[in-house]
Each structure stands twice: as C-alpha cells, then as structure tokens.
Amino acid sequence: MSLIEVNNLSKTYEYYKKQPGLWNSVKSLFHREKLFTEAVKDVSFSIEEGEIVGFLGPNGAGKTTTLKMLSGILYPTSGEASVLGFTPWKRQKEFQTQFALVMGQKNQLWWDLPAMESFLLNKEIYEIPDAEFKQTLEELSDLLDISDILDIPVRKLSLGQRMKAELIAALIHSPKILFLDEPTIGLDVVSQNNIREFLRRYNKEKKTTIILTSHYMDDVEALCERVIIINHGSLMYDGGLRTLVEKYIDTKQLEVTFTEDVSESDFSQLGTLKEYGARRIVLHAPRKNIKETASTILTKFAVDDILINEPEIEEIIRKVFQEAKQAR
C-alpha cells in the first residue's frame, strides 16, 4: 500500500452572507443566507515512500486545505485518506509522531526564546531519547549550518535562519512524512537555494516523503520529479514534471548573444522573437526543431553565447488552467 492514499476527498465550508449597514445587521439576527464554498472537490491520489511531490495551484486552489486534512488539522466533508496506515483526523498519537507540518507563514518556535528551547520542548513532546536527540540535532544543525545561532532568541534571527530552525524543530523527531507549505516564502535567493539543497540531501539520506506547495517554481524544478496540480479544489494533473512540460509546451527558449549587430527580420522564419536587442535576442522556437534552429543561428551569425532553456513553469500551469476552462 502507498504511504499516502487519498480517495474522493472533499472539504466544503459554510458561511453566511450579510449586507452592510446597521439595519441589515439587525435582520441577520433573524435570517441569514447560508452559502457554501468547495475548497477541495473529490480529489484522489497516492504517494509512495521517499517521493518529493510538488503540490501546485493558484491562491485559493485548495492546496493548504488538503495538507491540513492529511495532517489531521481539518476534518473532510467527505472522502477517505490513509497516511501511514492511519486516518489523519482521528489524531492517534502513533500517527502524530510520524509526520511534521511546516508552514512558511506560521511559526512554531517560541518568539522570545532561543530556538534550542523549542527543540527541547519538542524532545519532551515526542519522547525522544537523549542520545538520539543529541545526534539528530547535531546532524541537522550541521547540514543547515546554524550550530552557532541556536542559543540566540528567535526574534533576533534573520528570516532565513528562522526557517532553518523551523525545519530542525519539524525534523527533530525524524518523521516519515514532511508536509511543506511555502517553505521558502519571503526568503532571498541564497536562502532559498540553501533550503532546497538541504531538502534534497535530507530526502536522499532519510527517504522521507515530502509534499511541497510553493509559488516559487524554482523550488519545484529543483526538488520534484512529480507534480499534482489543483485549481478551484479539483485535481487537474498528476504526473511527471517533464511529461507536463512536453504535453503543454511545444517550444523551447533560445537566449543568444552576438559579437555583431543583428536585425529583427533575420529571425522571423525561425520562431517567435520575445526579446530583441542589437546584440541579444530571446527566441521561442518549436521544440522538435530546436537543434536545427540553434545550428542555423550558429552558422549564419557571429554568436558569442547561446543558451537553450525550458519555458517557465508558470507558463505551463497557465496553459493547464486554460485547457481546463475550455473543456468546461
């Protein structure tokens, strides 16, 4: 059986509509119009041990709601889920000691205390033996390179340092599953790369299963071979990242710099010119002809440098959403 099994999972929220104004507030005491929002609609998927899966979609798509159901924070309206053989929302102790949830916009560390105090608290909560705690803490703090700031109050740490400490707090009990909700949000480029490299190494060494939501597509490209895309609560795609690119994008991007000036008209037959400068162009050319196109440019022009890139993942997801709209 897969480590995570989700079958027809749905979550509907109830809320009430009220018109503005004092009189409408009085009327709402006696009559309110009830409305419903389907945050997650009939979602099914499975995840194997050791996978890193990107969970993608726009704001309000249902990503965080799904993670909260899988971690037992929310009860579903309908459907079933099995995580490590447990039903998450039953919240058995045996289940809660085997996963961790890290939300980039919420802190689990005590703000005015050093991070070490939070680690020691988690040690007691998860009943971690002293020797195991010491070894795990040393490994994680060395991997994340923050051994020297563990005794500094959390409020005095940089955002990148705090996120690294958050990861240690989440992993100190060696969970089998890690739910990551926007773990690199707000971080600078260097900190983002450090977090990605740590997650890649940790997954490789510990075989921890990771579900990652992120608006930074670099996170997904760096870590995930498989992605799940949801929009308006419904699952739209579940498969390989490379397959997704090949299915929805039929072009590649050529970025070329020249040692001599070139004109726009020189490239009209080769593809779609996205950017033009006298000595630099960005050209979108058909994927199937990309080698021939690059060869033609190298032969005809004085090329200083040429790069062949895949399109941005945001563009791919936009096409997935557009196709879904047209199908409705």
Side-chain angles (χ1 to χ4, degrees), residues 39 171 232 243 247 301:
L171 297 172
H232 300 299
T243 303
K247 178 178 180 181
F301 305 98

Side-chain angles (χ1 to χ4, degrees), residues 208-226:
T208 301
T209 302
I210 300 174
I211 299 182
L212 167 73
T213 77
S214 180
H215 282 100
Y216 296 116
M217 291 304 112
D218 287 342
D219 290 349
V220 179
E221 290 177 307
L223 295 170
C224 307
E225 293 184 2
R226 175 187 172 194

Side-chain angles (χ1 to χ4, degrees), residues 178-194:
L178 180 60
F179 299 112
L180 293 175
D181 190 26
E182 303 286 354
T184 61
I185 191 168
L187 301 183
D188 59 65
V189 173
V190 174
S191 296
Q192 288 177 7
N193 286 333
N194 289 339

Side-chain angles (χ1 to χ4, degrees), residues 86-293:
F86 297 92
T87 301
W89 42 91
K90 290 184 178 179
R91 301 176 185 171
Q92 297 105 311
K93 180 181 178 181
E94 295 84 355
F95 167 65
Q96 292 181 321
T97 59
Q98 297 187 69
F99 79 92
L101 171 64
V102 177
M103 304 183 75
Q105 301 185 66
K106 293 186 182 294
N107 296 327
Q108 62 175 314
L109 302 174
W110 289 84
W111 185 248
D112 292 310
L113 297 177
M116 179 59 79
E117 298 294 334
S118 295
F119 302 158
L120 291 170
L121 176 61
N122 281 8
K123 172 185 180 295
E124 298 304 320
I125 291 173
Y126 291 106
E127 301 176 354
I128 306 170
D130 291 346
E132 181 182 334
F133 173 79
K134 182 180 179 181
Q135 180 181 348
T136 303
L137 179 60
E138 287 179 356
E139 288 178 356
L140 292 174
S141 55
D142 287 345
L143 275 172
L144 288 164
D145 194 26
I146 57 169
S147 301
D148 57 336
I149 57 96
L150 300 184
D151 294 321
I152 299 174
V154 171
R155 59 184 168 81
K156 293 187 176 181
L157 301 179
S158 69
L159 184 58
Q161 290 172 328
R162 289 205 302 273
M163 181 49 64
K164 289 179 179 181
E166 291 280 354
L167 285 171
I168 290 180
L171 297 172
I172 199 67
H173 61 291
S174 301
K176 294 181 179 178
I177 295 177
L178 180 60
F179 299 112
L180 293 175
D181 190 26
E182 303 286 354
T184 61
I185 191 168
L187 301 183
D188 59 65
V189 173
V190 174
S191 296
Q192 288 177 7
N193 286 333
N194 289 339
I195 295 295
R196 291 174 197 136
E197 181 58 30
F198 166 75
L199 291 172
R200 189 187 298 111
R201 290 178 61 186
Y202 189 84
N203 167 261
K204 184 177 180 180
E205 292 175 9
K206 304 293 185 179
K207 304 301 180 185
T208 301
T209 302
I210 300 174
I211 299 182
L212 167 73
T213 77
S214 180
H215 282 100
Y216 296 116
M217 291 304 112
D218 287 342
D219 290 349
V220 179
E221 290 177 307
L223 295 170
C224 307
E225 293 184 2
R226 175 187 172 194
V227 294
I228 294 173
I229 299 177
I230 64 172
N231 190 31
H232 300 299
S234 297
L235 192 147
M236 302 178 62
Y237 178 85
D238 181 358
L241 179 60
R242 181 58 44 205
T243 303
L244 180 69
V245 171
E246 292 173 352
K247 178 178 180 181
Y248 287 98
I249 298 296
D250 56 4
T251 63
K252 282 193 175 186
Q253 178 177 287
L254 284 167
E255 183 177 346
V256 191
T257 55
F258 305 92
T259 57
E260 300 175 358
D261 290 355
V262 296
S263 64
E264 288 186 67
S265 59
D266 292 333
F267 306 97
S268 59
Q269 302 299 317
L270 297 177
T272 303
L273 204 59
K274 293 294 183 179
E275 295 180 30
Y276 168 75
R279 297 198 176 190
R280 178 184 175 276
I281 64 164
V282 175
L283 182 76
H284 283 198
R287 176 181 294 272
K288 62 182 180 180
N289 300 330
I290 197 67
K291 291 182 180 179
E292 292 84 348
T293 303

